[in-house]
Amino acid sequence: DTGVSQDPRHKITKRGQNVTFRCDPISEHNRLYWYRQTLGQGPEFLTYFQNEAQLEKSRLLSDRFSAERPKGSFSTLEIQRTEQGDSAMYLCASSHYRGDTEAFFGQGTRLTVV
Amino acid sequence: RKEVEQDPGPFNVPEGATVAFNCTYSNSASQSFFWYRQDCRKEPKLLMSVYSSGNEDGRFTAQLNRASQYISLLIRDSKLSDSATYLCVVMPGSARQLTFGSGTQLTVLP
């Protein structure tokens, strides 16, 4: 396990379709974060988990967005009824629950909605 | 007002120059501060944490002014490989998520 892994790396979908992205964090990390990044902007926080508990989800962009981490290991982010405005890079990060430790990011999933 | 605001840039500097980036944050209860670096089309990576006493890592110096809610990053003797976007990052209070600024793009020219 050399880092945070995200799949797929790229996704092109038609407007109105549902998409799901997967994130595998660094194995000993119990915190997992999802961010969205658009061109020229910094990553925008969406949600995070500590183990399997979703501790913050108020920043999810709409009720079309949902995330799970069923066993406290990998996580999925689903976007239902995609819109063109959902086109962005979706980044996952993980960290230890131990003070203010470094968050390691995956390479992201680039979503294009056509 | 954005939670974390940065110089918009871009900064284009010659090799060897010294460049400084500034950042302000709005949540006075913020506890932790960082600078991340993001290369083009890559993921962000931690450059350095920022401590109240200030800290230095080689050519990089970070400063924090809690009273002014201001963070800075100084890069001395710029290298071509320093070209990237520098993201100011704050962990606000008891919340555990990182809040990012929009980033400042740096290009070091030969």
Side-chain angles (χ1 to χ4, degrees), chain A residues 43-103:
Chain A
E44 175 186 18
F45 172 75
L46 297 179
T47 187
Y48 93 97
F49 296 84
Q50 185 162 301
N51 299 313
E52 66 275 14
Q54 190 172 12
L55 297 186
E56 174 59 68
K57 57 182 180 181
S58 65
R59 300 291 188 97
L60 285 168
L61 300 165
S62 77
D63 59 7
R64 298 184 297 105
F65 287 72
S66 63
E68 293 183 343
R69 194 183 184 195
K71 297 182 180 179
S73 57
F74 74 92
S75 176
T76 57
L77 177 71
E78 181 182 17
I79 309 173
Q80 296 182 326
R81 305 182 301 283
T82 53
E83 302 173 356
Q84 285 189 319
D86 297 332
S87 296
M89 176 72 83
Y90 291 84
L91 292 162
C92 175
S94 71
S95 71
H96 275 294
Y97 170 61
R98 200 176 63 224
D100 304 319
T101 55
E102 178 179 356

Side-chain angles (χ1 to χ4, degrees), chain B:
Chain B
R1 183 185 173 189
K2 287 186 177 180
E3 292 180 71
V4 180
E5 296 203 60
Q6 295 186 239
D7 284 347
F11 285 64
N12 298 313
V13 302
E15 269 187 291
T18 295
V19 60
F21 304 140
N22 303 317
C23 168
T24 57
Y25 59 96
S26 61
N27 187 338
S28 59
S30 296
Q31 296 296 319
S32 303
F33 310 90
F34 310 91
W35 285 99
Y36 273 68
R37 169 190 168 134
Q38 187 171 27
D39 293 307
C40 188
R41 306 184 80 81
K42 299 284 189 180
E43 72 275 21
K45 293 183 179 179
L46 179 67
L47 177 67
M48 60 196 304
S49 300
V50 187
Y51 304 117
S52 296
S53 55
N55 49 302
E56 186 174 311
D57 182 3
R59 298 180 293 108
F60 299 84
T61 301
Q63 297 279 349
L64 169 64
N65 184 323
R66 286 186 183 270
S68 302
Q69 295 178 208
Y70 171 93
I71 306 163
S72 65
L73 176 68
L74 183 77
I75 306 175
R76 291 181 299 278
D77 189 23
S78 300
K79 311 291 184 190
L80 295 176
S81 58
D82 294 334
S83 297
T85 295
Y86 290 83
L87 296 158
C88 178
V89 186
V90 173
M91 187 178 288
S94 59
R96 305 317 297 174
Q97 69 266 22
L98 301 174
T99 300
F100 286 78
S102 298
T104 301
Q105 186 177 347
L106 170 67
T107 301
V108 181
L109 304 168

